[in-house]
């Protein structure tokens, strides 16, 4: 063990020990706990000594009492036998208690090991990592946080089996343990994820550590008879440059990891110039999102979809809005990706479905407006019991299924077989299905003909240049022809000019949606809009006139 490792304050992974308890979080063994453990070792001797003393006093006192407190009548032989018996039993008691304490201490050490280290690799676990990170932040010296993730680890396990997959993880851990001698804290926080903390001082440089990692990970790994070089990605964050608290640093590192994965490289060193401030806001919004639903900060706005031939309202899309008590209105473009990443989109999406169905039913009851409401469904929400959620929303509102349209993204086609099964179940309920922002993803037309889709929404990016003789116009025309051959309704999004409406009408588009007819509006404004005829009267400049 080198002296420099001790100076860093990081416990080597090979010792599988938890860090210094000085800045421990909840559940950490404190100095008081350690003293109790030390005192426990002497309990056996104390109990045996108390028993021996009490036994001797009792025997002597009893003998004196029976002899009327006369030394002449003191029963020496009986006393000797009693003292001998007490001494022997005290020794036996001491031995048994010591054995019991030894077993208890061994069990406690095992429990401690399981609590602070990974059972397979012996590396410190997530609990140890957070304590070590907090201690490093508290010390205030510059360090580098690295998050290393094995790319497509689930596929590796599917191909080679779980046993080979775990052996691969153990091999990765062994290579990382070699960095401990350089003063690096190495921990395993998930089956495919490792967190490293590197003190940037002396001759330790970020470039050197990253280059060393790259060299170690590029060497082939053995999978049975095969030798492969799986892909890895690393996220980086520096203290204090990218953050001054542990959670923010981890957040920055995960963002860096995501960029490396998207770019298909091992790591990306440079953060964005506003990385720290942006990360702070993103982390703050992520925390606030978890409270926003309970605090009633979300509202729904609605944007009509207009029949391009008659000018009448053919439906309306429910859109979410977030009015934060301190920050004010927050754009969906900013908070929806955060909700997607954190998983909060599932609860938000459920709320959206219930509220939209209630609004549609309310319009039917008060204004006899029987047009469908469209609700966006995220990919993450789709794979988490979407059929049950839709059934619950329809039953809760008392809405007929034909008046609900679910807008889905092309990303569902990544897993087409499962997607078709779920979409078929949704169609069985009676709801309508729409592909949103069509043309911006990577879906296959071969899959499109298999999906039970009722509506195709053409993304705004194609509509913007539709007035020129551009590829966008020809693409839109082809999409309209294709959709009609598949018996789908075509909706053009982002329509802002009368000329765009005329062009789309000539191309055979069925419905349009955009600022030319109506901006997103509240439920009260929508009711007034429909009461006025729902024709979306537009002024000559092309901006919607809302009642």
């Amino acid at each position: 063990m080198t002296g420099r490792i001790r100076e860093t304050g990081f416990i080597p992974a090979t010792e599988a020990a938890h860090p210094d308890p000085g800045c421990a979080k909840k559940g950490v063994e404190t100095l008081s706990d350690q003293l109790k453990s030390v005192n426990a070792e002497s309990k056996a001797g104390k109990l045996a000594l108390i028993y021996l003393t009490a036994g001797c006093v009792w025997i002597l006192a009893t003998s004196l009492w029976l002899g009327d407190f006369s030394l002449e009548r003191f029963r020496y032989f009986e006393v000797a036998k009693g003292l001998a018996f007490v001494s022997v039993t005290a020794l036996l008691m001491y031995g048994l208690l010591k054995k019991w304490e030894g077993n208890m201490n061994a069990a406690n050490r095992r429990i401690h090991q399981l609590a602070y280290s990974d059972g397979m690799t012996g590396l410190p676990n997530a609990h140890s990592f957070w304590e070590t990170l907090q201690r490093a932040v508290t010390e205030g010296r510059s360090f580098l946080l690295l998050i290393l993730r094995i790319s497509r680890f689930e596929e590796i396990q599917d191909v080679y089996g779980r046993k080979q997959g775990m052996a691969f993880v153990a091999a990765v851990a062994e290579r990382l343990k070699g960095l401990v001698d350089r003063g690096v804290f190495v921990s395993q926080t998930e089956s495919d994820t490792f967190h490293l903390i590197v003190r940037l001082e002396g001759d330790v440089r970020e470039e050197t550590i990253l280059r060393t990692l790259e060299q170690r990970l590029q060497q082939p790994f053995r999978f049975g008879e095969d030798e492969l070089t799986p892909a890895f990605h690393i996220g980086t964050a520096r203290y204090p440059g990218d953050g001054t608290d542990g959670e923010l640093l981890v957040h920055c590192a995960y963002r860096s990891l995501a960029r490396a994965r998207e770019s298909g490289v091992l790591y990306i060193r440079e953060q964005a110039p506003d990385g720290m401030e942006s990360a702070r806001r993103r982390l703050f919004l992520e925390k606030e999102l978890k409270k926003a639903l309970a605090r009633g900060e979300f509202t729904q706005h609605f944007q009509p979809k207009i029949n391009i031939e008659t000018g009448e309202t053919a439906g309306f899309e429910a859109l979410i809005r977030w009015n934060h008590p301190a920050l004010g209105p927050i754009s969906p473009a900013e908070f929806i990706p955060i909700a997607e990443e954190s998983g909060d989109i599932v609860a938000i999406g459920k709320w959206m479905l219930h509220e939209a169905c209630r609004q549609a039913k309310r319009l039917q009851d008060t204004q006899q407006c029987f047009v469908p409401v469209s609700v966006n469904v995220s990919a993450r929400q789709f794979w988490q019991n979407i059929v049950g959620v839709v059934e619950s929303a329809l039953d809760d509102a008392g809405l007929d299924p034909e008046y609900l349209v679910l807008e889905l993204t092309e990303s569902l086609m990544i897993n087409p077989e499962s997607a078709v099964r779920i979409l078929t179940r949704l169609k069985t309920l009676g709801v309508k299905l729409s592909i949103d922002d069509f043309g911006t993803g990577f879906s296959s037309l071969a899959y499109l003909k298999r999906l039970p889709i009722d509506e195709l929404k053409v993304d705004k990016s194609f509509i913007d240049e539709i007035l020129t003789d551009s590829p966008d116009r020809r693409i839109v025309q082809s999409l309209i022809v294709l959709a009609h051959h598949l018996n789908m309704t075509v909706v053009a999004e982002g329509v802002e000019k009368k000329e765009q409406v005329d062009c789309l009408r000539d191309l055979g588009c069925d419905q349009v949606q955009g600022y030319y007819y109506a901006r997103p509006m509240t439920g009260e404004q929508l009711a007034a809009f429909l009461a006025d005829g729902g024709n979306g009267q537009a002024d000559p400049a092309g901006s919607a006139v809302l009642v």
Side-chain angles (χ1 to χ4, degrees), residues 166-178:
M166 292 298 100
F168 165 54
V169 172
V172 173
E174 284 301 317
R175 296 189 185 184
L176 295 179
K177 287 178 182 180

Side-chain angles (χ1 to χ4, degrees), residues 271-337:
Q271 297 273 20
D274 61 343
M276 183 172 175
E277 190 59 36
S278 174
R280 283 186 183 279
R281 178 176 172 87
R282 186 181 178 90
L283 188 60
F284 176 76
L285 291 181
E286 183 176 332
K287 291 179 179 179
E288 291 297 292
L289 269 173
K290 299 184 184 301
K291 310 171 188 175
L293 198 56
R295 295 191 301 209
E297 295 172 6
F298 292 124
T299 58
Q300 281 191 344
H301 280 53
F302 305 91
Q303 187 173 37
K305 295 191 292 187
I306 306 298
N307 185 305
I308 201 168
E309 293 293 340
T310 66
E312 297 178 348
T313 299
F316 53 93
E317 180 181 357
L319 304 167
I320 191 169
R321 295 293 183 266
W322 182 14
N323 189 26
H324 189 272
L327 300 179
I330 300 174
S331 169
E334 182 178 13
F335 73 80
I336 290 297

Side-chain angles (χ1 to χ4, degrees), residues 205-405:
R205 293 287 182 271
E206 178 180 346
E207 298 83 356
T208 306
I209 292 295
L210 289 173
R211 191 161 50 247
T212 301
L213 274 173
E214 186 172 10
Q215 292 171 352
R216 288 173 181 264
L217 297 175
Q218 283 181 346
Q219 298 174 16
F221 291 85
R222 180 167 291 280
F223 292 84
E225 298 180 356
D226 299 334
E227 277 195 353
L228 299 177
T229 308
F232 297 85
H233 301 295
I234 299 174
T236 66
R238 305 159 195 81
Y239 176 88
D242 293 320
T244 54
D245 64 78
E247 289 189 11
L248 182 58
L249 286 168
V250 170
H251 186 77
C252 285
Y254 269 112
R255 289 186 64 197
S256 173
L257 177 68
R259 288 200 298 273
R261 185 173 62 247
E262 291 167 0
S263 303
V265 297
L266 179 61
Y267 58 87
I268 296 178
R269 288 187 53 214
E270 297 302 325
Q271 297 273 20
D274 61 343
M276 183 172 175
E277 190 59 36
S278 174
R280 283 186 183 279
R281 178 176 172 87
R282 186 181 178 90
L283 188 60
F284 176 76
L285 291 181
E286 183 176 332
K287 291 179 179 179
E288 291 297 292
L289 269 173
K290 299 184 184 301
K291 310 171 188 175
L293 198 56
R295 295 191 301 209
E297 295 172 6
F298 292 124
T299 58
Q300 281 191 344
H301 280 53
F302 305 91
Q303 187 173 37
K305 295 191 292 187
I306 306 298
N307 185 305
I308 201 168
E309 293 293 340
T310 66
E312 297 178 348
T313 299
F316 53 93
E317 180 181 357
L319 304 167
I320 191 169
R321 295 293 183 266
W322 182 14
N323 189 26
H324 189 272
L327 300 179
I330 300 174
S331 169
E334 182 178 13
F335 73 80
I336 290 297
I338 299 174
E340 288 270 12
E341 186 177 328
S342 66
D344 294 313
I345 193 67
V346 176
I348 294 173
K350 181 179 179 180
W351 176 83
M352 282 289 293
L353 275 169
H354 279 261
E355 288 296 312
C357 288
R358 281 194 281 266
Q359 176 67 18
K361 180 61 175 174
R362 192 179 302 117
L363 291 174
Q364 291 180 1
D365 294 341
T366 58
Q367 296 190 264
Q368 298 299 303
C369 177
F370 292 88
V371 295
V373 59
S374 299
V375 183
N376 286 278
V377 176
S378 73
R380 193 160 188 170
Q381 183 185 6
F382 180 83
W383 298 112
Q384 296 195 25
N385 190 30
I386 184 62
V387 178
V389 173
V390 169
E391 284 182 314
S392 174
L394 291 170
D395 292 343
D396 179 55
L399 182 69
D400 192 299
E402 68 176 298
Y403 295 109
L404 176 63
V405 180

Side-chain angles (χ1 to χ4, degrees), residues 58-105:
W58 173 257
I59 291 171
L60 291 172
T62 304
S63 297
L64 286 172
W65 178 73
L66 290 174
D68 297 327
F69 301 97
S70 173
L71 292 177
E72 290 79 7
R73 301 179 63 183
F74 190 75
R75 302 181 179 186
Y76 293 99
F77 183 68
E78 288 78 1
V79 171
K81 288 194 298 182
L83 293 176
F85 175 78
V86 170
S87 300
V88 171
T89 53
L91 287 173
L92 289 173
M93 178 188 292
Y94 176 75
L96 290 173
L97 288 173
K98 281 296 290 182
K99 184 177 180 180
W100 177 80
E101 284 185 354
N103 292 337
M104 288 298 294
N105 289 335

